[in-house]
Amino acid sequence: MNRFNNPLILAMALLLFAQPALSQTKNGFELGNALVPVEEILRGGPPRDGIPSINNPVFQDPADADLWRSDDLMLTYDQGEVSFAYPIGILNWHEIVNHDLGGTPLLITFCPLCGTGMAFDPRVDERSLTFGVSGLLYNSDLLMYDHQTESLWSQIEGRAVSGPLAGTELEPVAIRHELWHRWRERAEGSGKVLSADTGHRRNYRMSPYGDYDHSERLYFPVTHTSRKYHPKTWVLGWSHNGESKAWPFPELAEHGAVLEDRVGGKAVRLHYDPDVPSAELRDESGNLLPATRAFWFAWYTFHPDTDVFEAD
């Protein structure tokens, strides 16, 4: 008997041949025009919006925020005379804050797996986008999605990698990484901190990732690896005019607090703070640049041709 006369075998064969088409959709997102290999877009575990973005953030005076300790890390953003702090303790559980600053939108993002806290201007073609957590990863990094078109966006690349807006880039916005007590001193009464009253029940004093920040283990595969440093070594990375450079914090600690350098023909000055640890990158006029604080493995996998600063 011809085996394809058997309805069960025929159904199994049809399902097998249909798999490539089915693989073009993950977590409900269409990947047919993906700019990265579809097989490298992985499910991170939670479903779409299983990690809930904060879409209506509430802010409070720092004096009323008794949850945070002096050495807790914040992402901070200054708008005029007001400074906003977004605690990493909250971002570990939510990853995205859609913040409307009086008609000026700001997208705050954090990927715990890559250690990357990054901000963007979410306006595309004069339309303000809002973002959620897709539950998908690319190179272990957060894939966001915009609610308006359901395009997927790579956080570290700052660009849409699938959907109607594929290839579109978001404008990065410069932010700081500061300790709670340092930010409070700098803000001098003009600061506002994201409230732990998010509408969700989470223990914001506990990281859901345990000792991940210090372990050599990666939860998900990446396309490029380097053993030059421990994979979770902190670096500051920046790209300009087609060139990328990373400043590993151990090298900065050996060099000293201030470093003058050039990237893509542009003169920059880097200020290293070992207490956080973090670093700020500024141009010749002293303007803060949107550099990326990241784990070494995360910066390297997206920038395998990166230059690396080494102390003399």
Side-chain angles (χ1 to χ4, degrees), residues 212-218 230-234 295-297:
Y212 175 83
D213 286 10
H214 308 289
S215 169
E216 288 201 5
R217 180 186 176 194
L218 304 184
H230 186 291
K232 307 297 176 52
T233 294
W234 286 112
F295 293 135
W296 164 245
F297 89 85

Side-chain angles (χ1 to χ4, degrees), residues 231-252:
K232 307 297 176 52
T233 294
W234 286 112
V235 306
L236 192 74
W238 190 60
S239 299
H240 182 68
N241 280 348
E243 293 185 17
S244 297
K245 189 155 190 175
W247 295 271
F249 288 5
E251 305 287 357
L252 293 176

Side-chain angles (χ1 to χ4, degrees), residues 27 42-48 50-51 135-137 220:
N27 279 10
L42 304 178
R43 293 179 173 87
R48 177 201 301 223
I51 297 174
L136 300 172
L137 302 166
F220 298 91

Side-chain angles (χ1 to χ4, degrees), residues 89-285:
I90 294 178
L91 294 174
N92 269 328
W93 293 91
H94 295 281
E95 302 189 5
I96 290 176
V97 179
N98 293 289
H99 188 183
D100 183 354
L101 297 97
T104 301
L106 179 67
L107 173 63
I108 297 291
T109 71
F110 182 70
C111 178
L113 297 179
C114 291
T116 42
M118 304 175 68
F120 302 93
D121 182 337
R123 290 173 290 192
V124 173
D125 294 332
E126 300 183 353
R127 175 171 59 165
S128 294
L129 304 179
T130 57
F131 288 77
V133 181
S134 71
L136 300 172
L137 302 166
Y138 171 62
N139 270 335
S140 196
D141 183 44
L142 162 68
L143 281 178
M144 316 175 288
Y145 79 96
D146 69 83
H147 297 124
Q148 287 71 26
T149 74
E150 297 200 344
S151 300
L152 288 175
W153 301 72
S154 165
Q155 181 219 25
I156 290 180
E157 292 184 310
R159 67 161 183 157
V161 297
S162 74
L165 296 179
T168 304
E169 296 183 359
L170 295 176
E171 183 70 26
V173 173
I175 56 174
R176 291 180 170 98
H177 292 69
E178 294 183 271
L179 299 181
W180 174 239
H181 77 278
R182 291 273 192 87
W183 172 76
R184 290 190 64 175
E185 292 170 1
R186 186 176 67 81
E188 295 182 334
S190 63
K192 294 291 183 181
V193 59
L194 179 65
S195 171
D197 182 14
T198 62
H200 301 275
R201 295 176 61 88
R202 301 288 189 275
N203 181 356
Y204 294 126
R205 289 230 50 85
M206 182 191 76
S207 169
Y209 298 91
D211 66 350
Y212 175 83
D213 286 10
H214 308 289
S215 169
E216 288 201 5
R217 180 186 176 194
L218 304 184
Y219 290 167
F220 298 91
V222 295
T223 53
H224 299 91
T225 59
S226 166
R227 301 298 298 177
K228 185 176 180 67
Y229 299 98
H230 186 291
K232 307 297 176 52
T233 294
W234 286 112
V235 306
L236 192 74
W238 190 60
S239 299
H240 182 68
N241 280 348
E243 293 185 17
S244 297
K245 189 155 190 175
W247 295 271
F249 288 5
E251 305 287 357
L252 293 176
E254 184 176 341
H255 176 273
V258 180
L259 168 69
E260 294 185 354
D261 210 337
R262 299 187 71 85
V263 180
K266 184 177 182 64
V268 295
R269 175 172 291 189
L270 191 141
H271 300 256
Y272 174 61
D273 183 350
D275 293 334
V276 178
S278 189
E280 294 180 1
L281 192 68
R282 296 181 180 272
D283 64 17
E284 291 179 297
S285 300

